[in-house]
Amino acid sequence: MAESSPTLIIGVMAVQGAFLEHQVALKGAAEQISQRPKLVVREVRHAADITSDIQGLIIPGGESTTMSLFLRRNNMEKPLEEWIGQKNHVTWGTCAGMILLSKQLEHQKEGGQSSLGVTDTLVSRNYFGRQVDSFEADLAITNPELLNDPHQKKEYSRGVFIRAPAVLEVNDPSVEVLAAMRLSEKDAPVVVAFRQGNVLSTAFHPELTEDLRWHRYFLNMVLSCS
Ligand SMILES: NC(=O)CC[C@H](N)C(=O)O
């Protein structure tokens, strides 16, 4: 008899931002994974929603200042940090989520912003903001798993950047850079996607494109951790 498909419980922080788009993308991505996991998506809004049976968590884009205040006021910081710290849990931060996860921040709003202190990175908030608020760019993909994705053969992934951050410093060898780009010929490249252990961070918004490979990559991370 064929092995039954695994169930994956994925939490999506639903405080603000593109959490609905992430849910749609997750469903599409799950159908394309060979194990055909059964996906259960839970919206996370309260401390009580952060339960240990959730296997993967997405912290979406939005406004990191608002999100960090919301987390603090609702006593969600500590439970989130504890949840993220468990080795069978996988976390993905997109844009504001990348900011919230970084240990070091630059250009954060004064007094208003704390981080969950997870990734060994220096992330600059609104890094691209001075030039243009929003833009799209093709990102060169080198990671073999992302590159050999059977559903997306392109060597480039379309990145949608909305007042996006960038990683200016990587402070631990366990950080694997997944995508980098430069603002112009004159600028040094900055990291816009990376993985550190069970944490994935992207400065851009894959949930706003047709390219589901980042969601598949995330679900595969969850599958291999469970
Ligand atoms: N699209 C986004 O998530 C923007 C992030 C925003 N610039 C912030 O500081 O939180």
Side-chain angles (χ1 to χ4, degrees):
M1 222 172 75
E3 245 180 67
S4 63
S5 54
T7 298
L8 290 184
I9 305 177
I10 306 295
V12 180
M13 242 176 49
V15 175
Q16 55 154 210
F19 58 88
L20 288 174
E21 288 83 349
H22 267 300
Q23 294 182 28
V24 173
L26 280 170
K27 285 185 185 134
E31 281 166 19
Q32 293 167 334
I33 287 178
S34 52
Q35 293 98 316
R36 290 288 178 130
K38 252 191 0 255
L39 191 68
V40 177
V41 177
R42 294 209 198 131
E43 294 190 355
V44 173
R45 288 199 179 85
H46 309 281
D49 298 334
I50 308 165
T51 52
S52 64
D53 62 334
I54 294 178
Q55 294 155 282
L57 177 71
I58 295 183
I59 306 179
E63 178 54 53
S64 57
T65 316
T66 312
M67 279 160 77
S68 76
L69 276 175
F70 182 91
L71 296 181
R72 195 182 308 159
R73 286 194 186 136
N74 293 283
N75 299 319
M76 290 171 80
E77 284 172 322
K78 190 122 208 306
L80 262 180
E81 281 164 25
E82 280 171 12
W83 185 93
I84 294 168
Q86 287 174 35
K87 64 175 186 324
N88 57 337
H89 289 164
V90 174
T91 310
W92 179 12
T94 52
C95 202
M98 171 190 259
I99 298 170
L100 283 173
L101 289 169
S102 179
K103 280 189 184 161
Q104 285 177 272
L105 296 179
E106 184 185 272
H107 297 141
Q108 67 268 48
K109 268 198 193 150
E110 247 170 68
Q113 192 149 12
S114 56
S115 104
L116 298 168
V118 178
T119 60
D120 290 291
T121 47
L122 168 65
V123 166
S124 179
R125 206 174 147 255
N126 295 347
Y127 174 79
F128 301 99
R130 285 156 309 195
Q131 305 275 342
V132 265
D133 280 339
S134 304
F135 62 96
E136 294 189 20
D138 283 332
L139 303 168
I141 299 296
T142 51
N143 172 279
E145 198 183 326
L146 285 160
L147 202 55
N148 298 326
D149 185 312
H151 296 278
Q152 185 58 266
K153 284 287 182 211
K154 281 190 250 158
E155 286 169 16
Y156 289 89
S157 182
R158 193 78 178 150
V160 176
F161 292 81
I162 305 170
R163 289 179 298 106
V167 181
L168 302 189
E169 279 174 25
V170 164
N171 298 317
D172 194 278
S174 63
V175 175
E176 182 197 355
V177 173
L178 297 174
M181 62 169 288
R182 39 177 108 227
L183 214 45
S184 75
E185 293 286 296
K186 300 193 299 285
D187 292 290
V190 287
V191 174
V192 290
F194 70 89
R195 173 177 178 170
Q196 183 175 18
N198 289 349
V199 179
L200 175 65
S201 275
T202 53
F204 48 91
H205 291 264
E207 77 283 6
L208 301 181
T209 71
E210 302 284 292
D211 186 349
L212 296 180
R213 78 175 109 186
W214 296 94
H215 288 82
R216 281 191 294 278
Y217 184 75
F218 167 71
L219 289 177
N220 278 322
M221 280 171 74
V222 179
L223 276 167
S224 60
C225 269
S226 319

